[in-house]
Amino acid sequence: MNKIYPPKTNIIKNAYINREQYVSMYEKSIAQPEAFWAEKAEEFLDWITPWKTVFSGTFEEQNIRWFDGAELNVCYNCVDRHLADRAEQTAIIWESDDPNNSFKITYKELHQMVCRFANVLKSRNIKKGDRVCIYMPMIPEAVVAMLACTRIGAIHSVVFGGFSAQALENRIIDADCCAVITADESVRGNKTVPLKENVDYAVQRSPNVKTVIVVKRTGKEIPWEKDRDIWYQEAVQKVSDDCPAEPMQAEDPLFILYTSGSTGKPKGILHTTAGYLLYTALTFKYVFDYHDGDIYWCTADIGWITGHSYIVYGPLANGATNLIFEGMPSYPDYSRFWQVIDKHQVNIFYTAPTAIRSLMRQGDELVKTTSRQSLRLLGSVGEPINPEAWEWYYHVVGEERCPIVDTWWQTETGGIMLTPLPGATSLKPGSVTQPMFGIVPALVNKDNEELNGEAQGHLVIKKPWPGMMRTVYGDPKRFHDIYLALHPGYYTAGDSAFRDEDGDYWIIGRIDDVINVAGRLIGTAEIESALVLHPHIAEAAVVAVPHDIKGNCVYVFATVKTGIQPDDKLKEEMMELVKQEIGSFAKPDDIQFASDLPKTRSGKIMRRILRRIVNNEIDKIGDTSTLANPAIIDELLQEHTKKQYDSDN
């Protein structure tokens, strides 16, 4: 078992809940869910009309409803209701890609900006129920656009600004959007992306798009269609800042967010209004132990669910001060994150394991040139964090005073599902520990038999919760087939997990990221964690390659730390390390070193692409425009081809 950090070293004093309170609240949320969620709904949200029923429906019937009959407005809950006490409080701190450029927006200013933009949308005949695509940089206007849609009841579909014109087109058409909100260009790492140019391409094949609203970010000259295109900055000056919030039914759609699988077209995950907002508001407060005056920073992009739930809706529903970052951790150098923390005195920092490993690769000195004394809590999101990266994050970045909330959740779940709580949970490096309120996890085998005690299996959820997706937009059968059919009676997460003797959960990886080698199931995350224990290895990604005898063999892509020259001796040491940590059966069959691994701009390693490379399925790699480093594909292909040639000869 990995090291356990006892409560006295990592639990925040004066946190909202301690261990005993967590146990009591959790038990009530399971035994009396309607009473629990009714109480929290009154505590966290303002309602226009009360609900008739707190909850109804089942997974089997696909008819789940929360707070049926109630009315509320998301924008009102995130902005308007704070004006009485927080009008002059900072809502958003914006940190530009340029380290010399940042500014603050108060709740009063945010309210005016949102109302004006909502009136712009209405002036273009955009109304309740219409779908609006948002394809934006990480600038405040992106948040304003989301809130303006919710204010008038339009359904937003945010598309990550790194997606290609073709990917954008597919999403616009699938959601049948009537408008696109974008910018002339985005800026990241002092490089620009032609957003408006991509929109022009996409909407040529999207006949229902009648309006394109463009924020001037760089001022670059761009093509213009007079009747369709309008400048944001000009339009908001021509309208009033008075725009009443539209009453919305609790189960009215709030947004569609597309998530890609390894096969098939992207899935439009549909979230509804009341349950989603309540769940993100509650999880934000308790998981991050947010208190008035804290400065909170999530490094995600709003194009992903983490940006929706823990940059926009969760923080603003709690009246938080929220930092939004346009740039990247390596620009102008690899100390940028730590410099921003000092500049704005950030207290709560939430980022991805891939970013942590990338920064760890640069060594400790860039971290230690900064203070970081404002930090009191660290978070991890996106994929399992290996214990070595966890330890570096805890000891070097947080200097052993900041608990780490290692969170597991998905686009589909809406909010955090399994996580340590800073006032209640002992920390285990690499473990997501315990469920949030109302979440009943279980492990099942391939025969749908529930596993008890210490066990490994498919992670499922036994009961519906307020923040869960309602369907795949326009395709309820796909929702059933992907999330409900494999294990009837449960929500299937698609991840495999291990539950230890203490009842704490450890995420192993996607079900399709478990390798069957000679009849033994090995989680790729487990092998990767062993590999990065080597002091010279920065990152490792493991994929399966079919093998005539063993069924599959283990193939590793790895990057080394700065200043290290990879060689055969290093390969042998890595293989021996896996043998020591897991067993000889898990030893890699081959290791390919690389200068980098293919990653999205949010830092997620695209193992799907690596699988295509090692299995010589080059024609199936697909769209790589979302990658932060698309050029790495050619390097990986060339090296893999060379290895095959050397092996054959």
Side-chain angles (χ1 to χ4, degrees):
M1 180 57 62
N2 286 284
K3 186 186 300 181
I4 299 175
Y5 288 86
K8 66 181 181 180
T9 65
N10 58 56
I11 285 183
I12 291 177
K13 294 179 180 179
N14 302 318
Y16 283 116
I17 53 175
N18 58 32
R19 180 65 185 176
E20 291 74 23
Q21 290 169 317
Y22 163 74
V23 171
S24 175
M25 291 172 66
Y26 180 75
E27 288 178 349
K28 181 176 181 179
S29 76
I30 302 308
Q32 306 173 57
E34 294 197 15
F36 176 86
W37 288 112
E39 176 186 313
K40 294 305 174 186
E42 293 282 6
E43 177 185 345
F44 279 89
L45 302 181
D46 284 3
W47 303 81
I48 299 169
T49 304
W51 52 85
K52 296 176 181 177
T53 57
V54 174
F55 166 73
S56 64
T58 65
F59 289 139
E60 291 87 345
E61 297 296 325
Q62 294 181 232
N63 60 345
I64 291 160
R65 300 180 73 84
W66 285 88
F67 307 104
D68 212 8
E71 289 183 316
L72 73 165
N73 183 274
V74 168
C75 182
Y76 180 89
N77 273 277
C78 290
V79 184
D80 300 52
R81 66 179 177 146
H82 302 313
L83 297 179
D85 301 321
R86 305 177 188 275
E88 302 305 324
Q89 178 194 308
T90 299
I92 294 172
I93 301 169
W94 183 63
E95 175 72 17
S96 167
D97 184 67
D98 177 356
N100 299 310
N101 185 11
S102 63
F103 57 76
K104 299 177 180 180
I105 299 172
T106 67
Y107 272 94
K108 180 180 179 181
E109 291 167 335
L110 180 61
H111 179 257
Q112 293 171 339
M113 293 171 71
V114 170
C115 286
R116 286 185 180 276
F117 193 38
N119 280 329
V120 170
L121 297 178
K122 290 167 74 172
S123 74
R124 301 292 293 189
N125 296 317
I126 297 167
K127 59 189 183 302
K128 180 177 178 178
D130 286 344
R131 275 79 61 207
V132 175
C133 176
I134 299 173
Y135 182 62
M136 295 278 279
M138 279 296 288
I139 56 178
E141 289 84 356
V143 177
V144 169
M146 294 170 71
L147 292 170
C149 287
T150 68
R151 192 168 193 85
I152 66 171
I155 303 164
H156 63 66
S157 173
V158 182
V159 177
F160 172 54
F163 274 121
S164 68
Q166 182 63 59
L168 174 64
E169 175 192 320
N170 294 340
R171 288 155 174 80
I172 291 172
I173 291 173
D174 190 74
D176 192 21
C177 294
C178 66
V180 179
I181 305 167
T182 189
D184 48 7
E185 294 182 301
S186 65
V187 183
R188 196 166 184 268
N190 205 31
K191 297 178 181 178
T192 60
V193 175
L195 297 186
K196 176 56 163 58
E197 181 180 311
N198 289 345
V199 169
D200 287 341
Y201 172 90
V203 299
Q204 286 178 7
R205 298 162 183 80
S206 310
N208 289 339
V209 173
K210 307 300 183 185
T211 297
V212 175
I213 302 171
V214 186
V215 177
K216 188 175 291 187
R217 172 62 185 92
T218 66
K220 179 186 178 181
E221 187 173 335
I222 54 177
W224 203 255
E225 188 169 312
K226 182 181 177 183
D227 294 333
R228 185 196 68 193
D229 300 346
I230 61 172
W231 285 110
Y232 168 89
Q233 282 88 344
E234 294 177 4
V236 295
Q237 296 303 317
K238 299 175 182 177
V239 294
S240 166
D241 62 4
D242 179 25
C243 179
E246 180 76 20
M248 301 295 291
Q249 290 289 321
E251 282 294 324
D252 279 344
L254 177 62
F255 65 82
I256 301 164
L257 184 58
Y258 286 87
T259 179
S260 298
S262 56
T263 60
K265 70 175 186 177
K267 305 181 291 291
I269 305 303
L270 178 70
H271 281 286
T272 54
T273 299
Y276 169 83
L277 185 63
L278 173 60
Y279 196 74
T280 55
L282 177 142
T283 50
F284 174 79
K285 178 177 179 178
Y286 288 129
V287 174
F288 300 107
D289 193 50
Y290 185 87
H291 291 259
D292 283 352
D294 284 341
I295 308 298
Y296 164 83
W297 179 20
C298 171
T299 67
D301 190 285
I302 64 160
W304 310 115
I305 189 63
T306 304
H308 281 54
S309 298
Y310 298 114
I311 291 180
V312 183
Y313 296 117
L316 294 178
N318 279 276
T321 297
N322 189 13
L323 192 147
I324 297 175
F325 180 47
E326 183 184 37
M328 56 196 303
S330 59
Y331 178 79
D333 60 49
Y334 280 95
S335 67
R336 183 69 188 278
F337 273 3
W338 324 127
Q339 291 172 5
V340 172
I341 287 169
D342 283 355
K343 177 179 179 180
H344 297 292
Q345 291 296 286
V346 172
N347 308 114
I348 302 163
F349 180 67
Y350 193 35
T351 196
T354 44
I356 296 165
R357 289 191 291 266
S358 175
L359 295 167
M360 182 174 70
R361 182 181 182 183
Q362 307 304 315
D364 298 353
E365 288 308 309
L366 286 173
V367 184
K368 293 180 177 179
T369 58
T370 61
S371 166
R372 290 156 287 105
Q373 286 302 304
S374 60
L375 287 174
R376 68 177 187 87
L377 186 143
L378 301 171
S380 172
V381 61
E383 63 179 346
I385 182 171
N386 55 291
E388 189 198 25
W390 193 104
E391 295 277 4
W392 184 83
Y393 200 26
Y394 181 74
H395 291 287
V396 178
V397 177
E399 297 179 332
E400 302 180 13
R401 70 177 184 277
C402 302
I404 295 175
V405 289
D406 179 9
T407 62
W408 174 83
W409 59 296
Q410 303 172 312
T411 304
E412 295 87 343
T413 71
I416 293 165
M417 303 285 277
L418 300 172
T419 179
L421 289 177
T425 312
S426 297
L427 306 182
K428 296 179 180 180
S431 172
V432 294
T433 65
Q434 294 288 304
M436 271 305 298
F437 305 122
I439 306 306
V440 187
L443 299 177
V444 298
N445 61 21
K446 60 183 176 61
D447 297 320
N448 210 36
E449 297 168 333
E450 199 165 316
L451 307 173
N452 298 315
E454 188 174 341
Q456 179 177 323
H458 292 184
L459 178 61
V460 297
I461 308 299
K462 297 175 70 172
K463 294 184 177 182
W465 64 100
M468 69 172 290
M469 68 181 291
R470 296 298 189 263
T471 189
V472 172
Y473 182 72
D475 197 348
K477 183 179 183 300
R478 195 176 184 198
F479 171 56
H480 173 269
D481 292 348
I482 294 174
Y483 302 103
L484 306 176
L486 180 61
H487 296 295
Y490 302 96
Y491 167 85
T492 300
D495 284 330
S496 57
F498 170 71
R499 185 175 53 233
D500 66 24
E501 60 187 2
D502 300 319
D504 289 328
Y505 286 83
W506 304 70
I507 303 300
I508 295 171
R510 299 298 292 169
I511 290 171
D512 56 7
D513 283 341
V514 176
I515 302 176
N516 190 329
V517 179
R520 297 180 176 91
L521 293 178
I522 313 168
T524 57
E526 188 177 8
I527 304 173
E528 291 165 3
S529 293
L531 289 163
V532 296
L533 289 174
H534 195 290
H536 293 167
I537 299 302
E539 290 185 300
V542 171
V543 295
V545 179
H547 190 277
D548 291 341
I549 298 173
K550 295 190 291 184
N552 288 290
C553 60
V554 177
Y555 194 99
V556 175
F557 291 89
T559 64
V560 296
K561 293 183 179 178
T562 303
I564 301 300
Q565 187 64 39
D567 54 22
D568 289 340
K569 182 174 181 294
L570 179 56
K571 284 187 182 180
E572 292 172 7
E573 292 173 357
M574 293 168 66
M575 291 181 178
E576 186 62 27
L577 189 56
V578 173
K579 179 181 177 181
Q580 292 173 5
E581 292 291 317
I582 304 174
S584 58
F585 64 90
K587 279 179 61 176
D589 292 75
D590 204 350
I591 298 173
Q592 178 175 331
F593 292 109
S595 63
D596 201 359
L597 300 175
K599 299 171 189 171
T600 66
R601 280 173 47 181
S602 63
K604 182 178 181 180
I605 297 171
M606 296 295 286
R607 291 170 178 81
R608 170 181 60 82
I609 291 176
L610 297 176
R611 283 195 290 269
R612 298 300 190 197
I613 290 172
V614 298
N615 289 295
N616 297 310
E617 297 174 333
I618 312 306
D619 57 326
K620 297 181 180 179
I621 285 179
D623 182 17
T624 61
S625 63
T626 185
L627 295 181
N629 52 350
I632 195 63
I633 302 297
D634 287 339
E635 178 189 320
L636 295 171
L637 284 169
Q638 289 174 14
E639 179 61 23
H640 181 64
T641 301
K642 179 177 180 298
K643 288 171 70 68
Q644 284 186 308
Y645 177 82
D646 292 343
S647 174
D648 293 342
N649 291 275

